[in-house]
Amino acid sequence: MPKQVDHEGRRRRIADAVCLLVDEHGLEGVTLRDVATRADVSMGAVQRCFRTKEEMLRFALAHIGERVTDRVRSRLAAGPMPSAAGEPGPVPSAADELALVAGEVALLREEHRAEARIWLAFVAGAAVNPELARTLRSSYAGLEDLVARLVAEASGGTPAGRVEARTLLALADGLTAHVLIGHLTEAEAEEVLQVHLAGLWGRC
């Protein structure tokens, strides 16, 4: 029997290779040959998955956006963390969940530093590439819907939830950049985020 190829799995494997190369060399340093080598597939396999480099980059951008969003949703679905004694922790409020989401989206922790570099490289590329910008807007829209819902729940259904969601996402991106360039430490950025969230409930 002919060997069955997991087409979608291969596309994601290639997207992971693209992201690694973006982290190392930026968008300009991504070549089809290097992607094939890093993904351990032939150049023909890359070209069968993606008709152009542009299409490959758009898929990789959507892929990393989905990775962050999926991690956020998984953290929310996990429920309360058990105590040191193993007993169930308190059920998190919408405000607690919003703080969790904001922290994940800002990519402040050391283990997410590579993702932060890749994300901002794509953001910079999207500023001059309309197709990347379209993909990026789609990623932001999904996060904005989730954050707006949590803001509304945490503040009793305030109609300003959408504006606050946009503000929080913009702040998260700014903090990502400030930590990456060393203007803020991870702890300082976390403090800025917490102060903003504390002030949010006073405004709603």
Side-chain angles (χ1 to χ4, degrees):
M1 292 182 63
K3 184 178 179 179
Q4 296 295 314
V5 176
D6 178 4
H7 187 68
E8 189 61 24
R10 176 170 286 178
R11 280 164 64 86
R12 293 184 180 280
R13 180 176 173 181
I14 291 170
D16 284 334
V18 170
C19 289
L20 288 173
L21 289 168
V22 170
D23 185 28
E24 295 170 4
H25 308 294
L27 292 182
E28 299 79 8
V30 176
T31 67
L32 292 179
R33 184 178 302 279
D34 287 343
V35 169
T37 299
R38 188 61 63 94
D40 195 24
V41 298
S42 67
M43 284 189 65
V46 175
Q47 292 168 325
R48 283 191 293 275
C49 287
F50 302 102
R51 292 168 295 179
T52 64
K53 178 182 175 180
E54 179 84 14
E55 181 183 335
M56 182 178 68
L57 289 176
R58 291 200 309 270
F59 184 85
L61 172 54
H63 175 61
I64 195 166
E66 289 170 4
R67 201 159 71 190
V68 174
T69 302
D70 288 347
R71 187 168 64 237
V72 168
R73 295 186 186 281
S74 295
R75 289 285 304 276
L76 291 176
M81 296 291 291
S83 67
E87 299 173 352
V91 176
S93 65
D96 293 332
E97 291 183 334
L98 184 60
L100 182 153
V101 170
E104 290 289 339
V105 170
L107 301 172
L108 300 180
R109 294 199 297 276
E110 181 63 38
E111 64 263 33
H112 297 151
R113 202 72 84 236
E115 276 186 351
R117 289 191 295 267
I118 296 164
W119 182 256
L120 288 188
F122 274 115
V123 170
V128 295
N129 184 315
E131 293 302 317
L132 282 180
R134 185 175 296 113
T135 302
L136 190 60
R137 288 196 298 271
S138 178
S139 292
Y140 277 126
L143 286 170
E144 183 181 305
D145 287 343
L146 174 60
V147 173
R149 175 179 63 79
L150 290 173
V151 170
E153 289 178 7
S155 56
T158 174
R162 182 67 57 177
V163 173
E164 292 295 355
R166 290 170 178 167
T167 302
L168 189 55
L169 288 177
L171 175 62
D173 263 1
L175 291 175
T176 303
H178 282 222
V179 170
L180 278 183
I181 66 173
H183 178 63
L184 295 176
T185 66
E186 177 183 332
E188 288 169 339
E190 292 265 8
E191 181 182 16
V192 170
L193 200 54
Q194 294 307 315
V195 168
H196 174 79
L197 288 170
L200 173 61
W201 312 131
R203 294 194 299 272
C204 294

